[in-house]
Amino acid sequence: MRCNITAGTWVILLCLVIGIVPCSFAQLPLQQAITLTLQHYPTLKVKKSLSEAAGAHTTDVKHQWWPSMKVLDEVNAGTDNGIYGSYFPMSTIPSTSGGIRDDNRSEVMSGNIALAQMQWEVYNFGAYRSKREEALQQQKVYGADADITANDLTVSVIQDYIRMLQYYALMRIQADNIARTKSVQQAVTVIVLHGLKPGVDSSIAAAELSKARLNYLDMQNGYNQVRMHLGILTGLDSTAIQPDTLYNKGLLQLLESAADTVAVQSEHPALQYYNALFNQQKKHEDVIRKDALPKVSLMAAGWMRGSSTQYNDINKPFLSGIGYSRYNYLAGVSITYNFTDIAHTRDKMREQRIRTQAAENQLEASHTLLDNQLMQAQIDIRTAMDKLQEMPAQLNAARAAAMQKMALYKGGLTNIIEVTNALYVLNRAETDLVQTHNAAWQALFMQAFASNHIQELVQHLESSKN
């Protein structure tokens, strides 16, 4: 009964563990890894926020043509002693109206003024339009920056996933190598114990087994490092990330279907970003040019004043100055043009043209780089196809050689060095196959990146598994 209860308890605990952590051993599809990264990674959130801020700035620039309307009411108490003469107010010198006498008075008087003022730059020869267009182009720059960040993150996820597949395959190869080396060691030990071979053969076999285990630990360390970085990108626990190895099944078909006719697309996020940056620099040239042109403004104001001192210089009660006794209005049109700013505008235009030329050169350099990456990827794809077609011959020959050498060793017709060399050749052949797979994936995704077809390739991979 105790055994039954204990067994039942273990079954319940096992079910609970499976129910609680079912995803610990689940494979992570590439598309899901990309989606999680684009939803989670903080840098992309920052770029999207900056793009939204640029949209708000565009709205603010569109509203700059609105008139300026100011309203104020001011109550004062003080003396009123004036003198003839003019001066610039300089915004800090108080103004005194009236009170021109042959002496000063120290009596305190009260005064009140209410003002409504409107100023509207109604026409500036296209300056408003040029600023709106620059703001819109700047918004495109920030949007394109967010897009290129998303594309770079996608590439980073893909590179990590390819490396994870590589390390996962290498770990399996090293595990198989450990198993083979261990079986060889056991066979060698039996032969040595029967006195058919010298004891050094057993030591050599033990050293080869230890080396295989060390290689496995190196592969495992690289595998965990890649999973950790992928966990940072996706926001997942790195221990819950396992690669989906089904992608390798359709690799050769993907290589064969890869077209040499693909070209760099103008819709590529990198080209879109640098093109938007170039256009924004050109729009800023227009802003500088239009900002130096004349400006036509409408101005209007209305104001009311009160004072405790009458027009005949007789003081009334102090509180009588709180009310309003005089009313005025004023309207006008002004045209302003800064003649002395012509040389400064010319200097700013010269600087801005250089910046525009630099942005254009950057756009051309980016296009050239993508062209080179695309051509190199196409060369690598053809090379990978040729190598994958040749790899089975190498792998079958290495396996046959390892089996033959082991059989010869058991028959006393060869030595342990020949056996370990054969095992090394087999391990190298299996490793070469993994490296070739990795190079093929790198070439496929490099072509997809340069031609802006990454999402299409990922979707094709996901659909080909089913």
Side-chain angles (χ1 to χ4, degrees):
M1 176 65 75
R2 178 180 299 176
C3 293
N4 291 336
I5 294 175
T6 305
T9 303
W10 280 110
V11 170
I12 293 173
L13 290 174
L14 180 61
C15 292
L16 288 175
V17 170
I18 294 175
I20 293 173
V21 289
C23 62
S24 295
F25 306 97
Q27 293 177 333
L28 176 67
L30 177 58
Q31 181 64 67
Q32 184 181 356
I34 294 173
T35 302
L36 289 173
T37 299
L38 298 183
Q39 293 174 350
H40 162 265
Y41 204 64
T43 302
L44 185 57
K45 294 180 180 179
V46 171
K47 295 299 179 69
K48 289 181 177 179
S49 297
L50 291 175
S51 179
E52 293 174 1
H57 175 69
T58 301
T59 303
D60 177 57
V61 172
K62 288 180 179 179
H63 295 162
Q64 283 185 357
W65 70 275
W66 288 0
S68 172
M69 187 73 180
K70 297 179 181 179
V71 179
L72 68 87
D73 188 280
E74 184 178 315
V75 179
N76 300 300
T79 59
D80 179 31
N81 296 297
I83 194 172
Y84 290 106
S86 301
Y87 58 88
F88 291 103
M90 302 299 290
S91 75
T92 58
I93 303 175
S95 173
T96 300
S97 60
I100 300 177
R101 313 179 190 90
D102 57 357
D103 58 353
N104 289 320
R105 290 185 182 180
S106 59
E107 293 90 346
V108 177
M109 60 167 291
S110 64
N112 188 11
I113 182 171
L115 171 68
Q117 182 187 29
M118 185 273 291
Q119 185 171 356
W120 188 9
E121 192 174 297
V122 294
Y123 187 70
N124 50 22
F125 296 90
Y128 281 143
R129 184 179 66 254
S130 64
K131 290 180 180 179
R132 288 195 300 268
E133 291 175 352
E134 183 193 23
L136 286 170
Q137 196 59 48
Q138 189 176 30
Q139 183 181 352
K140 291 181 181 179
V141 170
Y142 279 102
D145 189 26
D147 291 341
I148 198 174
T149 300
N151 195 61
D152 289 344
L153 284 173
T154 300
V155 172
S156 182
V157 171
I158 290 171
Q159 289 177 340
D160 280 351
Y161 205 94
I162 293 174
R163 290 177 61 204
M164 185 169 62
L165 283 172
Q166 178 187 12
Y167 279 117
Y168 185 80
L170 291 174
M171 285 172 59
R172 294 182 62 180
I173 289 175
Q174 293 305 320
D176 292 342
N177 189 37
I178 290 173
R180 286 193 300 263
T181 307
K182 191 171 184 179
S183 65
V184 169
Q185 184 198 31
Q186 292 172 349
V188 169
T189 301
V190 171
I191 295 174
V192 169
L193 290 177
H194 285 78
L196 301 176
K197 291 288 183 179
V200 69
D201 284 11
S202 179
S203 299
I204 293 175
E208 290 297 324
L209 178 59
S210 178
K211 178 60 178 176
R213 288 170 176 166
L214 291 174
N215 289 337
Y216 180 85
L217 292 176
D218 288 337
M219 297 303 106
Q220 187 181 51
N221 181 61
Y223 178 69
N224 290 332
Q225 287 180 353
V226 174
R227 286 202 303 170
M228 185 178 300
H229 187 256
L230 197 57
I232 294 173
L233 292 175
T234 59
L236 296 175
D237 183 1
S238 61
T239 58
I241 298 176
Q242 301 289 339
D244 191 342
T245 57
L246 292 178
Y247 295 122
N248 282 326
K249 292 184 177 180
L251 177 58
L252 189 57
Q253 289 77 7
L254 283 174
L255 292 172
E256 292 173 349
S257 63
D260 291 338
T261 57
V262 294
V264 175
Q265 303 292 323
S266 60
E267 294 80 12
H268 193 284
L271 298 181
Q272 288 286 317
Y273 172 75
Y274 290 117
N275 186 63
L277 190 62
F278 170 61
N279 290 330
Q280 190 262 335
Q281 296 295 336
K282 290 199 298 184
K283 293 298 182 183
H284 192 62
E285 285 186 25
D286 198 36
V287 169
I288 295 174
R289 188 184 306 107
K290 296 293 179 64
D291 199 45
L293 296 177
K295 297 171 178 58
V296 179
S297 301
L298 293 179
M299 296 174 293
W303 66 97
M304 303 179 293
R305 294 194 62 184
S307 176
S308 63
T309 300
Q310 295 181 348
Y311 66 94
N312 54 5
D313 207 20
I314 297 176
N315 290 335
K316 295 188 297 183
F318 180 80
L319 294 179
S320 64
I322 304 301
Y324 304 108
S325 59
R326 295 293 185 270
Y327 308 89
N328 295 283
Y329 65 86
L330 185 66
V333 178
S334 72
I335 301 177
T336 58
Y337 183 62
N338 188 352
F339 286 97
T340 61
D341 201 40
I342 296 176
H344 188 204
T345 300
R346 189 181 297 115
D347 293 338
K348 289 193 291 185
M349 284 295 299
R350 185 182 301 111
E351 175 189 354
Q352 185 57 36
R353 287 193 187 99
I354 296 174
R355 295 182 184 276
T356 304
Q357 184 62 45
E360 185 178 17
N361 293 338
Q362 202 167 21
L363 174 61
E364 294 177 358
S366 180
H367 201 291
T368 301
L369 177 61
L370 290 173
D371 283 333
N372 292 337
Q373 288 177 335
L374 181 59
M375 289 188 293
Q376 185 61 52
Q378 291 170 345
I379 294 173
D380 292 343
I381 287 174
R382 290 191 292 270
T383 302
M385 288 178 58
D386 295 338
K387 292 180 70 174
L388 285 176
Q389 291 173 354
E390 181 63 29
M391 288 303 300
Q394 179 193 13
L395 191 58
N396 292 334
R399 286 171 178 168
M403 294 177 62
Q404 292 172 7
K405 287 296 183 181
M406 192 59 201
L408 291 173
Y409 180 80
K410 290 179 179 180
L413 300 177
T414 189
N415 56 48
I416 188 64
I417 300 300
E418 295 293 333
V419 175
T420 57
N421 286 340
L423 293 177
Y424 171 77
V425 170
L426 175 56
N427 184 68
R428 186 184 62 188
E430 294 175 338
T431 303
D432 287 346
L433 179 60
V434 173
Q435 299 292 357
T436 303
H437 282 165
N438 181 71
W441 283 122
Q442 295 283 359
L444 279 173
F445 277 105
M446 179 58 69
Q447 183 189 55
F449 168 77
S451 60
N452 197 31
H453 291 111
I454 287 183
Q455 288 301 327
E456 290 85 344
L457 179 57
V458 172
Q459 292 172 2
H460 181 74
L461 286 175
E462 296 298 334
S463 61
S464 63
K465 294 191 306 178
N466 302 325

